[in-house]
Amino acid sequence: MLTIVGILHRRSVNAMAARLLLLASVLCSTLLISTSSSTSDLQILAADRNIDLTSHIVRVYLTLKVENSGAAPVSEVLLAFSPTEARQLALVKAAIPIGKKKKKYQPLDVNPTDRPDAPNGTKYYIMSLLKPLNKGETITIETHYIMTHSLEPFPVEISQSESQLVYYRDSAIVLSPYPIKQQVTLLKTPSNKVESFTRMEPTSHAGTQLKYGPYEDRAPFSYSPIMVHFENNNPFAVIEELVREIEISHWGSIQITEHYKLLHGGARQKGGFSRVDYQNQPAFNGLSSFKHLHAELPPRVHSVYYRDEIGNISSSRLRISSKKSDLVVLPRYPLFGGWKSTFVIGYGVPLQDFLFESADGSRYLNYTFGCAFVDTIVDKLIDKVVLPEGSTDASAIFSFSAEQRLEKKYSYLDVVGRTVLVLEKRNVVPEHNIPFQVHYNFKQAYMLAEPLMLISVFLLFFVTCIAYLHIDFSISK
Ligand SMILES: *[C@@H]1O[C@H](CO)[C@@H](O)[C@H](O)[C@H]1NC(C)=O
Ligand SMILES: *[C@@H]1O[C@H](CO)[C@@H](O)[C@H](O)[C@H]1NC(C)=O
């Protein structure tokens, strides 16, 4: 008994973790190989994977050279993700490079799919080829996927003067329902400081790059967990909720109001915060904190404001150019891990920049989805497009998956209420900042409703006044 305790004491926690990982890896590999695929006779001749870990959004570029080694033509290729990865996925894209010199890309349709035969909860995305791949033919597919919340701060708590370290977990072998003849994985870290990483020979580390492979002839569903522990002092700006209201007024302007719930999603701040140290030694203090946030707004914005619960915050800078407007927002205090900030940003943009008339006479708004802040994750984004009173047949066109519903809103002088088209999406990354359109019909007569109402109210008031002045209330003559 005593010896066991001794051994336990001597063995570092790290070594234990490594052993557990190894055990898990062996278990996983055997489990997965035994349930080999029955999908098709595709095989991957080469898989090149680049994993960009330089920000808190993990971006993976995977190039697959696929060969059809069976007899029947194949028109679908599957991408596989572990259940954890599937939960963290924000975006999956695939394209086929065309043209030799100038690289052009033909995008492919990529859709999630449920396959009950998928082993160990593997989630598939189907990439639909433009034309079937015949026997013996090969095709190169470039895929790109983005994951959020997949860097885990460790230690979980750091003091103001410490650097932030994070874990990234993945598999050294690309998870795939097809056999892979040759593969290499490169990981790029933000700095040279890599505390530790799982080795799976051949593995090498130089500067900011970690290389796994080349590995040859891996069976379908091979999986070999790896863990990389490295420094990442990027601001982990997570917007837990963003509610954006885009209100169209046919009187010349679109008013945008954005309500932010911002969280620093990195390692939690331990101990007190010293502003003196923070300001005097910026090189050693609050490396992972953020003092300001940078937003890209449309060109020609006007009446920009930025406020929180206390009131107007004047410490923001705005630079307007012909292509975009840069807004730098400085919260009242620097944000450390686990700290939150709630604020509102509002601005107006000219109507003619975003509202157009389509061929059939209906109107449409063409506006950018997503969050204006650079390099942030939005856990839940709600875009509310408030149409002018009297609008009918509202519908949205967007090229990403989002929930859509209609609501009503009443503001000053509204009689029948305004139609609000609501788009809701979880796990939004900067790559989702793409245009969407809201179409609606509007009767010109409604433009006059509000002025007419005001005019009649004033008219009534004056008529009453005049009548009052002319009526003689006196009793005696
Ligand atoms: C808020 O502060 C900005 C200066 O950054 C100023 O231009 C704006 O007028 C202020 N708004 C209010 C309502 O005080
Ligand atoms: C919407 O605007 C973008 C530029 O902001 C433009 O590229 C796109 O063609 C527009 N879409 C429509 C349907 O007008």
Side-chain angles (χ1 to χ4, degrees):
M1 192 59 203
L2 267 173
T3 50
I4 292 172
V5 172
I7 288 166
L8 276 175
H9 267 293
R10 252 175 278 138
R11 204 180 271 161
S12 74
V13 179
N14 262 348
M16 287 262 282
R19 255 153 219 261
L20 274 174
L21 210 68
L22 195 73
L23 191 73
S25 121
V26 171
L27 258 168
C28 280
S29 317
T30 43
L31 260 175
L32 287 167
I33 290 166
S34 61
T35 53
S36 99
S37 79
S38 59
T39 34
S40 66
D41 295 319
L42 290 180
Q43 65 165 334
I44 294 170
L45 300 180
D48 280 304
R49 187 167 52 155
N50 280 288
I51 305 177
D52 182 353
L53 302 174
T54 54
S55 82
H56 67 134
I57 303 172
V58 175
R59 295 181 168 91
V60 184
Y61 302 85
L62 172 65
T63 307
L64 300 171
K65 196 171 170 201
V66 185
E67 184 193 53
N68 185 0
S69 48
V74 177
S75 54
E76 284 176 347
V77 181
L78 294 176
L79 261 182
F81 296 97
S82 73
T84 320
E85 279 177 331
R87 272 197 302 280
Q88 295 162 342
L89 272 181
L91 191 82
V92 186
K93 287 204 281 195
I96 297 199
I98 45 171
K100 285 264 151 56
K101 285 240 175 69
K102 265 195 202 157
K103 277 225 164 165
K104 280 192 185 159
Y105 294 94
Q106 184 109 48
L108 297 181
D109 266 349
V110 187
N111 291 302
T113 178
D114 266 328
R115 295 269 170 113
D117 60 341
N120 290 16
T122 304
K123 288 274 180 299
Y124 289 131
Y125 276 71
I126 291 188
M127 301 186 282
S128 309
L129 300 180
L130 301 164
K131 61 180 190 347
L133 195 64
N134 292 318
K135 181 181 180 227
E137 283 182 343
T138 61
I139 191 170
T140 302
I141 307 177
E142 301 212 348
T143 69
H144 175 37
Y145 57 91
I146 298 173
M147 293 182 292
T148 58
H149 297 290
S150 41
L151 298 182
E152 180 194 328
F154 190 87
V156 186
E157 285 189 330
I158 54 172
S159 68
Q160 185 174 333
S161 58
E162 279 177 303
S163 217
Q164 175 172 270
L165 299 170
V166 296
Y167 275 134
Y168 174 69
R169 295 183 174 80
D170 204 328
S171 164
I173 312 281
V174 175
L175 182 65
S176 173
Y178 315 114
I180 305 180
K181 282 202 104 61
Q182 199 185 43
Q183 59 179 306
V184 177
T185 294
L186 297 174
L187 291 103
K188 192 171 188 311
T189 54
S191 73
N192 293 350
K193 215 172 144 195
V194 177
E195 293 283 300
S196 68
F197 55 92
T198 316
R199 283 193 172 272
M200 188 181 147
E201 295 311 332
T203 304
S204 59
H205 174 220
T208 58
Q209 185 168 291
L210 254 170
K211 183 175 172 187
Y212 283 89
Y215 304 118
E216 260 137 54
D217 294 316
R218 296 297 160 141
F221 299 107
S222 295
Y223 196 85
S224 164
I226 53 165
M227 198 154 88
V228 186
H229 193 200
F230 61 99
E231 182 187 58
N232 188 334
N233 279 321
N234 270 278
F236 278 36
V238 178
I239 291 154
E240 295 183 296
E241 190 181 82
L242 165 58
V243 180
R244 213 162 64 140
E245 200 171 87
I246 303 164
E247 186 160 353
I248 302 172
S249 156
H250 283 161
W251 292 96
S253 176
I254 298 175
Q255 183 61 40
I256 294 130
T257 316
E258 303 178 336
H259 297 259
Y260 288 90
K261 279 187 192 149
L262 173 69
L263 162 79
H264 186 309
R268 282 197 302 277
Q269 158 84 350
K270 186 170 64 180
F273 163 58
S274 156
R275 197 177 268 274
V276 176
D277 288 348
Y278 188 76
Q279 273 166 352
N280 292 345
Q281 298 176 302
F284 308 104
N285 271 281
L287 291 174
S288 64
S289 70
F290 45 92
K291 294 192 248 331
H292 52 73
L293 282 171
H294 177 195
E296 279 178 7
L297 303 181
R300 313 217 287 151
V301 291
H302 59 81
S303 16
V304 180
Y305 66 85
Y306 161 47
R307 62 176 161 80
D308 63 4
E309 304 93 338
I310 308 172
N312 197 20
I313 308 176
S314 54
S315 55
S316 56
R317 287 192 300 270
L318 180 68
R319 210 175 46 226
I320 299 179
S321 77
S322 60
K323 293 222 175 61
K324 61 176 200 264
S325 309
D326 286 305
L327 176 71
V328 178
V329 158
L330 286 95
R332 285 182 200 274
Y333 44 86
L335 242 67
F336 283 89
W339 292 16
K340 296 186 182 195
S341 172
T342 314
F343 57 90
V344 180
I345 290 176
Y347 49 94
V349 289
L351 190 67
Q352 68 266 29
D353 289 4
F354 300 98
L355 196 74
F356 307 95
E357 200 158 324
S358 57
D360 63 353
S362 72
R363 290 164 195 243
Y364 72 93
L365 170 85
N366 183 14
Y367 206 77
T368 311
F369 190 78
C371 168
F373 285 109
V374 176
D375 238 5
T376 49
I377 296 171
V378 185
D379 288 342
K380 184 174 169 191
L381 192 151
I382 302 173
D383 253 7
K384 298 185 172 183
V385 180
V386 185
L387 300 174
E389 198 177 22
S391 304
T392 52
D393 313 316
S395 67
I397 299 173
F398 45 93
S399 55
F400 40 84
S401 60
E403 276 176 46
Q404 188 185 162
R405 62 175 185 273
L406 288 175
E407 285 176 1
K408 273 263 182 256
K409 182 190 171 179
Y410 292 89
S411 61
Y412 311 111
L413 297 178
D414 280 355
V415 181
V416 292
R418 293 165 195 239
T419 306
V420 183
L421 195 135
V422 185
L423 288 181
E424 188 173 328
K425 183 166 176 59
R426 288 184 178 275
N427 221 0
V428 176
V429 289
E431 279 77 357
H432 284 119
N433 292 8
I434 42 180
F436 72 103
Q437 290 88 34
V438 176
H439 288 255
Y440 63 96
N441 283 315
F442 182 75
K443 285 200 198 68
Q444 208 65 41
Y446 268 102
M447 283 280 282
L448 298 174
E450 280 173 17
L452 278 180
M453 226 159 71
L454 282 177
I455 290 169
S456 28
V457 167
F458 278 113
L459 209 68
L460 204 73
F461 176 69
F462 284 119
V463 168
T464 325
C465 285
I466 291 165
Y468 175 77
L469 288 176
H470 281 77
I471 294 169
D472 193 354
F473 288 109
S474 56
I475 304 165
S476 61
K477 278 254 144 89

